[in-house]
Amino acid sequence: MAKSITGEALQGPVTKEGHEVEPAGSSGRTELPDFEKIERSQGFKNLMRKKKLFLIPATALFLGLYLAFNIIISYTNWLDAPVVGDIPWVWVFAFGLFAMTWILVTVYMKQAAKFDKMAEETLKEFGYEEKEDIQ
Amino acid sequence: MNATVIIIFLVIVAMTLVITYYAAKRTNSASDFYTAGGGLTGWQNGMAIAGDYLSAASFLGIAGSIALFGFDGFLFSIGYLVAYLVVLFVVAEPLRNLGKYTLADMINARFDAKKVRGAAALSSITIVVFYMIAQLVGAGALIQLLFGIDYLWAVLLVGIMMTIYVLFGGMTATSWVQIIKAVLLMLGTVILSFLVLKNFNFNIMEMFTQMKTATPHGEAYLSPGVKYEIPLDTISLMLALVLGTAGLPHILMRFFTVRDAKTARSSVMWATWIVGIFYVMTIFLGFGAAAFVGADLITSTNPAGNMAAPLLAQALGGDILMSFISAVAFATILAVVAGLVLTGASAFAHDIYGQIIKKGKATERQQMLAARYASVGVSVFSILLAIFAQSLNVAFLVSLAFCIAASANLPVIVYTIFWKKFNTAGAVSAILTGLISALVLVSVSPSVLSPEAGAAILTGTPLFPLTNPAIVSIPLGFIGGFVGTLVSREIDAKKYAEVKVRANTGGFKQL
């Protein structure tokens, strides 16, 4: 990426060899890794596969349930009947969507910890360490 | 206005000013100003997101809506909460990994083009302005009700406070005002919920049984359809809410205040819990107000139901609790508008001035000055608009802001992260198609045009049947990006590889 960095006085970033990158405002050329090579690497491909395996079904699930709920309550009276005592189904399903949100967030947090580890390994493989680019 | 109100009110003002004073000392660079130096922790940012998100409309408006319309009043909350899954799964981490201060930064990490940045800044500014007008007009009316201050003075008071926070304390002050507000809001809501539940003998079943007969709606109160009768309109609006949050610039900006994607992720988790628990408690507030205050008193105090929560506090906890709840509502307003000013300022000062006009070569001093001028500019402009909009029915502007966010910002975000062939022309056309279609459709919708004089902004026959155009404009935003990309055919696989690697690993930031 031969793009000049913004005018802000960054103290970082440092290339993988450990040379200071020229600060902002100068020519701003930085030595960058071959991103296409990283993209083609087994580690990165695995990471993307694992991510997709979780994110696509999870997104389809929550958007699907959410839309189904809205369509059902807008066009039908199916959920108006009481389920326990005088509480109608619609409240149970509404709370179910809340519970779904919290559950999916919790599950994702666990999955994401695995993604982090995979990402870290891929980055290490290409000689990159964190803290190098934190300003 | 009694002495308790004035004391609690002054304590909140004093507390936020002390925060601003300390924040000002730590605000020495553009990065401090826009992102609080990127040093917030997950729970801090999670609370601040909740503080930024839960507007007075959420607190007073939803409680009032539930009190008056039962389930329909609660319906929006489902969309507002589920929306965080879109934020978490799609936006939060890539945004943190690719961007610096604004949404435009993230998109420009892939397309280094002024027109893309300009378009992104334009949509952010539009969203902020609409959201802000709705907030300030609402705030003016609420403060008038709560404290008996004139509309004009109420708007000026809120306007001056928000300007002070942002101008001197930048993101640090704004974040802490939002965190304190979130704490106060949760505290107030927990106290009210507890009192309501106590009055229902801590029995949820009994609460529902009583609600069946407690309101003029009878059994229908507990079912959908009391307020929203046009199915397609409801679905369109719910679509805007669930997809819009992930494109709201003032929420997105919060993700730059943390150091990495991992912290961004945990801040969404915190926000989801806080926001979700809050919405569950609004049910108790709404039911309580309907049962113990009554629909007649609620609507005679304010036809929209905004006074339901304060009246409930009065009924269950007397003057002191009512004063506290009113003060919480005030803090709520301040936290939201401060976040909006900062976001508007970042689009003007960072995107338009810093990156487009100065081509990223502005000095640190110039950036800070620009940020501060822009903050004052955005504040003054919003205050003026709010004063002129006093008598207009602008409540729909909040859902319009969500609609624009979903139509103009979400497609470009999704394509930037996931679509290899996406290109500069596609990015510009995605943003503009979404933005323009949402604006055009809403300007000929029942929200703006009503045959009944005074019911909407203009009198006339609506040409578009839905009050919220999301169901049309969101697909248009995606189609716009798709067609724009195919028409220009330019493709940069190398750049996409870089964006993909950076977005998904968090490595090689901001080079």
Side-chain angles (χ1 to χ4, degrees):
Chain A
M1 176 177 67
K3 163 193 162 189
S4 69
I5 40 182
T6 49
E8 198 188 49
L10 297 170
Q11 291 149 14
V14 181
T15 59
K16 56 182 172 176
E17 281 82 16
H19 305 302
E20 274 271 5
V21 168
E22 288 201 43
S26 67
S27 65
R29 308 284 152 177
T30 56
E31 196 179 316
L32 276 169
D34 182 348
F35 283 109
E36 283 179 300
K37 209 169 134 197
I38 303 180
E39 193 196 15
R40 284 192 305 267
S41 73
Q42 204 53 47
F44 187 73
K45 272 186 178 163
N46 268 342
L47 169 67
M48 294 313 290
R49 199 171 49 87
K50 283 268 161 63
K51 270 197 165 180
K52 276 183 197 155
L53 213 59
F54 176 81
L55 287 178
I56 294 174
T59 306
L61 177 79
F62 85 77
L63 275 184
L65 287 176
Y66 176 82
L67 284 179
F69 176 80
N70 281 300
I71 291 169
I72 289 170
I73 63 158
S74 300
Y75 286 101
T76 76
N77 297 324
W78 297 348
L79 302 180
D80 291 1
V83 49
V84 264
D86 289 307
I87 304 178
W89 276 106
V90 66
W91 290 93
V92 176
F93 276 86
F95 191 74
L97 289 171
F98 271 55
M100 172 197 77
T101 307
W102 289 322
I103 291 168
L104 281 178
V105 168
T106 312
V107 173
Y108 178 72
M109 294 302 285
K110 291 240 162 72
Q111 291 291 319
K114 289 182 204 160
F115 301 153
D116 283 348
K117 211 163 258 163
M118 295 175 77
E120 211 174 294
E121 275 162 23
T122 306
L123 288 175
K124 215 180 267 171
E125 193 185 320
F126 288 87
Y128 168 92
E129 273 174 54
E130 209 192 339
K131 80 183 177 275
E132 283 181 351
D133 55 8
I134 300 295
Q135 329 171 13
Chain B
M1 194 157 52
N2 59 39
T4 329
V5 171
I6 298 172
I7 290 166
I8 299 180
F9 180 86
L10 287 178
V11 167
I12 289 181
V13 169
M15 205 153 62
T16 55
L17 288 178
V18 169
I19 288 171
T20 308
Y21 173 77
Y22 284 104
K25 286 189 182 175
R26 290 171 47 178
T27 306
N28 303 315
S29 68
S31 162
D32 292 336
F33 188 86
Y34 292 125
T35 69
L40 262 62
T41 64
W43 71 266
Q44 287 170 344
N45 194 39
M47 301 266 277
I49 290 172
D52 208 0
Y53 196 58
L54 300 172
S55 56
S58 296
F59 178 44
L60 302 178
I62 292 180
S65 268
I66 296 176
L68 296 179
F69 307 111
F71 182 83
D72 274 3
F74 178 65
L75 185 61
F76 285 10
S77 307
I78 304 171
Y80 288 134
L81 181 71
V82 175
Y84 275 93
L85 288 173
V86 186
V87 177
L88 182 64
F89 289 175
V90 183
V91 183
E93 296 177 42
L95 184 75
R96 173 60 266 189
N97 284 337
L98 296 174
K100 192 172 163 197
Y101 300 149
T102 61
L103 170 63
D105 282 344
M106 175 207 169
I107 301 164
N108 267 59
R110 183 163 172 189
F111 310 108
D112 195 14
K114 281 186 186 178
K115 51 192 174 187
V116 179
R117 191 179 282 277
L122 180 68
S123 95
S124 288
I125 290 165
T126 313
I127 294 166
V128 165
V129 167
F130 285 153
Y131 212 98
M132 180 74 113
I133 296 172
Q135 293 297 326
L136 277 181
V137 172
L142 284 174
I143 290 171
Q144 200 172 5
L145 271 173
L146 294 170
F147 305 106
I149 304 172
D150 262 3
Y151 178 87
L152 178 69
W153 290 111
V155 169
L156 283 177
L157 174 72
V158 172
I160 289 167
M161 293 299 293
M162 73 186 184
T163 316
I164 292 174
Y165 300 150
V166 176
L167 181 63
F168 298 108
M171 184 52 110
T172 309
T174 304
S175 299
W176 282 100
V177 169
Q178 289 170 343
I179 292 170
I180 288 185
K181 162 265 181 85
V183 172
L184 286 174
L185 184 62
M186 291 304 276
L187 187 66
T189 320
V190 166
I191 295 172
L192 275 178
S193 299
F194 177 81
L195 292 175
V196 168
L197 286 173
K198 196 174 137 217
N199 278 279
F200 285 117
N201 301 317
F202 296 102
N203 185 339
I204 303 282
M205 305 283 281
E206 191 187 317
M207 179 174 82
F208 274 88
T209 307
Q210 282 197 28
M211 293 321 293
K212 255 171 75 174
T213 50
T215 70
H217 301 294
E219 277 188 45
Y221 181 79
L222 293 176
S223 301
V226 173
K227 187 178 185 191
Y228 305 112
E229 291 158 347
I230 308 164
L232 204 58
D233 215 354
T234 311
I235 292 169
S236 183
L237 189 63
M238 292 302 279
L239 210 55
L241 300 187
V242 78
L243 298 177
T245 305
L248 286 178
H250 62 290
I251 296 297
L252 298 182
M253 194 174 180
R254 293 233 48 91
F255 292 109
F256 299 117
T257 65
V258 294
R259 67 185 297 268
D260 55 18
K262 207 172 159 181
T263 325
R265 182 194 306 151
S266 82
S267 44
V268 184
M269 181 196 72
W270 280 100
T272 318
W273 283 103
I274 298 166
V275 168
I277 292 170
F278 171 81
Y279 285 137
V280 170
M281 291 192 295
T282 57
I283 301 172
F284 305 135
L285 267 56
F287 281 7
F292 309 125
V293 179
D296 290 344
L297 182 56
I298 295 173
T299 41
S300 65
T301 316
N302 171 256
N306 284 327
M307 286 300 278
L311 288 170
L312 176 69
Q314 173 91 48
L316 301 182
D319 278 345
I320 293 192
L321 191 58
M322 172 155 181
S323 309
F324 178 65
I325 294 298
S326 304
V328 168
F330 178 68
T332 293
I333 293 165
L334 290 179
V336 176
V337 289
L340 288 169
V341 170
L342 191 57
T343 311
S346 71
F348 277 111
H350 175 67
D351 290 330
I352 295 179
Y353 171 80
Q355 297 295 320
I356 297 179
I357 297 174
K358 285 284 186 176
K359 302 182 179 69
K361 294 206 165 63
T363 63
E364 191 65 33
R365 210 183 105 76
Q366 284 173 323
Q367 289 188 56
M368 285 295 280
L369 270 179
R372 293 198 152 124
Y373 279 127
S375 306
V376 176
V378 170
S379 298
V380 170
F381 180 65
S382 319
I383 293 170
L384 289 177
L385 280 180
I387 290 171
F388 287 118
Q390 176 181 4
S391 57
L392 302 179
N393 185 356
V394 290
F396 76 97
L397 287 180
V398 170
S399 56
L400 176 62
F402 274 83
C403 174
I404 298 175
S407 315
N409 289 352
L410 189 66
V412 74
I413 294 173
V414 169
Y415 283 146
T416 301
I417 305 170
F418 297 106
W419 192 22
K420 190 171 185 172
K421 288 185 180 160
F422 195 44
N423 57 30
T424 313
V428 175
S429 70
I431 298 171
L432 293 183
T433 315
L435 177 65
I436 293 168
S437 62
L439 287 177
V440 169
L441 289 174
V442 91
S443 66
V444 294
S445 79
S447 299
V448 173
L449 287 169
S450 169
E452 194 188 323
I457 291 176
L458 300 170
T459 312
T461 316
L463 307 173
F464 181 74
L466 305 176
T467 51
N468 192 300
I471 203 165
V472 178
S473 61
I474 297 172
L476 281 179
F478 278 101
I479 294 169
F482 185 74
V483 172
T485 300
L486 293 191
V487 168
S488 99
R489 283 199 205 153
E490 153 217 349
I491 178 168
D492 188 345
K494 213 169 172 173
K495 191 79 195 184
Y496 179 63
E498 181 197 322
V499 164
K500 198 169 156 192
V501 169
R502 286 173 60 203
N504 286 292
T505 62
F508 313 104
K509 256 182 237 136
Q510 301 178 349
L511 291 177

